[in-house]
Amino acid sequence: MCFNEQILSAFVDGELSEEQGESIESHLLGCGACRSRVEFYGILTEKVKFSGVDTSTFIQESIWTRLGHATSTSSRLGFWHRRFFLAPSVMVSLSFMFIAVIGIGFFLLFQDNGSNAFYVSNADEPFPSENFPVNIPVDSIEQILAYFDIYDEPMEVVIQLPDSSSFTIQGEPLFLLKANYTVGY
Amino acid sequence: MDIEGNVPYTFREVYDDVFPVLLKVVFHIVRDMGAAEDLCQEAFLRYYNKRIPLPSVSESRYWLIRVAKNLSFNYRKRKGRESVAVDRIKLESKSVQSDSQEDLIREEDKIVIRDAVDSLPVKYRSVLVLKEYGELNYKEIAKILHISENNVKIRVHRARVLLEKKLSIGDFHVF
Ligand SMILES: [Zn+2]
């Protein structure tokens, strides 16, 4: 009796038990139909594998660099388990700071008629220009991405932060200082 | 699991172990090497930022492939058929440099097969990409897709039957 095609397909992948494999092998000796099925699955697998892309170690290393980690390949994890853990009070104050920054941004946006806040501009166009689109104020990353989906040309994205020095002094370093590197999960 | 997050492997070990497979799997879903690189990077970043470490390299591998696969299918959904066009453009630019007619035919054959795999419904495409390009076995595929091994067996066979049809009709006769 012939085996069903699913079994033959799994046989080609070496996914059957030794016992099952042996019984199929002996069946194949006397059955042309099953044999040609097995041969076909084998060729198909080979063809698909052959169509696989070659990947280089160059790409692997460049992504590693992009990941921006590991100065030593042999070091134990170390920094890997540094976790940013922020107390609720710090979170709340950071949230307020964030809202304040956004608020300042909007203030500048309205004060300077859009030229000074969050905007994207078409890099190929002389600036300023009468042509559309030169300067598009946006207020979220999603809007920039949506723009990319529609217009596939190069563009410049400018994120304008407040000029005040207190932002850096009280913003980022505070955030880093408050981060608790010792807590693991 | 150690509450302090000590695991018996390094991030680099996981990276070296998983990256080649991950890139292949992602590339064959999105068909665009630039996007594949970005998506792999994103998957590793998510892995790096995981709050709960995984107990072994192989568990990490399953997790990374699952996440990258989902990111890739989401990317494809956003991009539609555009990514396939990129693959073809790359082939064309490559053919200009290629001095051998044979190389060109081989590259074209590859694209025909990739297109056929690409045209399969997602549930069959996933198992085939993981098996043939990711070189994973049924057990590993089952873990990644959260389905049974028997289900993997059924899908692999079904994918082959569908591929047979795709590759023997139309303009191309691969067999
Ligand atoms: Zn038979």
Side-chain angles (χ1 to χ4, degrees):
Chain A
M1 200 184 77
C2 284
F3 291 90
N4 80 41
E5 291 194 357
Q6 261 171 34
I7 303 275
L8 295 177
S9 163
F11 170 74
V12 170
D13 294 329
E15 294 280 353
L16 299 179
S17 69
E18 207 175 313
E19 200 185 329
Q20 277 178 304
E22 279 168 8
S23 71
I24 287 174
E25 273 167 29
S26 60
H27 173 80
L28 292 180
L29 293 173
C31 178
C34 287
R35 203 162 54 231
S36 77
R37 212 57 212 150
V38 165
E39 274 166 15
F40 171 74
Y41 291 143
I43 291 167
L44 189 59
T45 294
E46 223 170 81
K47 292 267 181 190
V48 176
K49 279 191 199 294
F50 155 80
S51 77
V53 71
D54 297 322
T55 59
S56 68
T57 50
F58 171 76
I59 295 175
Q60 187 166 340
E61 288 311 310
S62 75
I63 304 292
W64 177 257
T65 310
R66 271 161 60 178
L67 279 165
H69 297 144
T71 46
S72 156
T73 51
S74 61
S75 71
R76 288 264 311 152
L77 295 173
F79 60 87
W80 193 14
H81 286 283
R82 287 179 187 175
R83 298 289 174 206
F84 283 94
F85 178 78
L86 296 166
S89 59
V90 179
M91 282 301 282
V92 170
S93 55
L94 277 173
S95 308
F96 277 114
M97 207 180 292
F98 181 69
I99 291 163
V101 167
I102 298 289
I104 292 164
F106 270 98
F107 179 70
L108 293 171
L109 175 81
F110 288 113
Q111 203 175 39
D112 294 325
N113 207 16
S115 64
N116 200 6
F118 233 159
Y119 64 84
V120 297
S121 72
N122 189 323
D124 283 337
E125 294 293 333
F127 179 79
S129 152
E130 298 298 301
N131 294 340
F132 171 84
V134 176
N135 217 352
I136 305 151
V138 293
D139 52 24
S140 74
I141 298 296
E142 281 70 28
Q143 286 182 17
I144 299 173
L145 293 177
Y147 187 86
F148 268 115
D149 274 344
I150 304 165
Y151 301 101
D152 214 358
E153 70 257 39
M155 69 177 81
E156 194 174 53
V157 178
V158 177
I159 299 171
Q160 182 95 40
L161 294 171
D163 290 334
S164 158
S165 60
S166 65
F167 176 78
T168 18
I169 293 164
Q170 292 175 4
E172 290 166 294
L174 183 70
F175 185 84
L176 293 173
L177 276 174
K178 293 286 180 184
N180 184 343
Y181 293 109
T182 62
V183 180
Y185 291 90
Chain B
M1 191 183 300
D2 195 326
I3 198 73
E4 289 300 314
N6 290 324
V7 285
Y9 53 85
T10 64
F11 184 60
R12 179 78 212 204
E13 279 164 5
V14 173
Y15 182 81
D16 286 343
D17 182 83
V18 184
F19 186 84
V21 172
L22 203 70
L23 187 63
K24 280 185 190 174
V25 166
V26 170
F27 172 81
H28 285 286
I29 296 172
V30 300
R31 305 282 300 276
D32 173 351
M33 194 46 93
E37 290 173 16
D38 290 348
L39 290 163
C40 285
Q41 183 181 338
E42 174 62 22
F44 275 106
L45 276 177
R46 290 189 186 199
Y47 175 72
Y48 185 85
N49 291 322
K50 254 179 80 58
R51 294 169 83 83
I52 301 165
L54 291 157
S56 65
V57 174
S58 54
E59 288 298 326
S60 301
R61 189 189 305 130
Y62 304 144
W63 189 92
L64 276 160
I65 295 174
R66 187 183 311 128
V67 167
K69 177 200 71 98
N70 292 339
L71 286 171
S72 306
F73 277 113
N74 286 341
Y75 175 87
R76 272 294 296 266
K77 242 183 251 168
R78 287 208 314 271
K79 281 279 170 182
R81 301 292 295 174
E82 215 177 294
S83 49
V84 177
V86 173
D87 202 29
R88 291 196 170 280
I89 290 162
K90 280 183 181 163
L91 170 72
E92 280 161 24
S93 61
K94 202 173 185 176
S95 71
V96 177
Q97 304 159 358
S98 180
D99 47 5
S100 153
Q101 189 70 21
E102 207 175 303
D103 283 354
L104 187 59
I105 291 164
R106 284 165 62 89
E107 282 304 309
E108 277 172 0
D109 279 351
K110 284 185 184 180
I111 302 290
V112 169
I113 295 163
R114 286 176 194 173
D115 280 350
V117 173
D118 212 53
S119 68
L120 297 176
V122 169
K123 62 195 276 194
Y124 305 122
R125 186 161 22 129
S126 299
V127 290
L128 215 62
V129 165
L130 292 173
K131 195 177 89 67
E132 313 296 20
Y133 300 129
E135 292 178 19
L136 299 160
N137 64 34
Y138 288 9
K139 196 177 174 182
E140 292 169 316
I141 296 168
K143 285 199 171 201
I144 290 162
L145 298 178
H146 288 315
I147 58 177
S148 71
E149 278 185 57
N150 194 48
N151 207 328
V152 175
K153 184 177 81 181
I154 292 165
R155 289 193 195 182
V156 168
H157 173 250
R158 187 83 197 117
R160 283 173 166 154
V161 170
L162 290 172
L163 260 194
E164 181 180 14
K165 285 184 192 154
K166 305 244 180 215
L167 290 171
S168 57
I169 52 170
D171 294 336
F172 295 101
H173 298 271
V174 174
F175 302 107

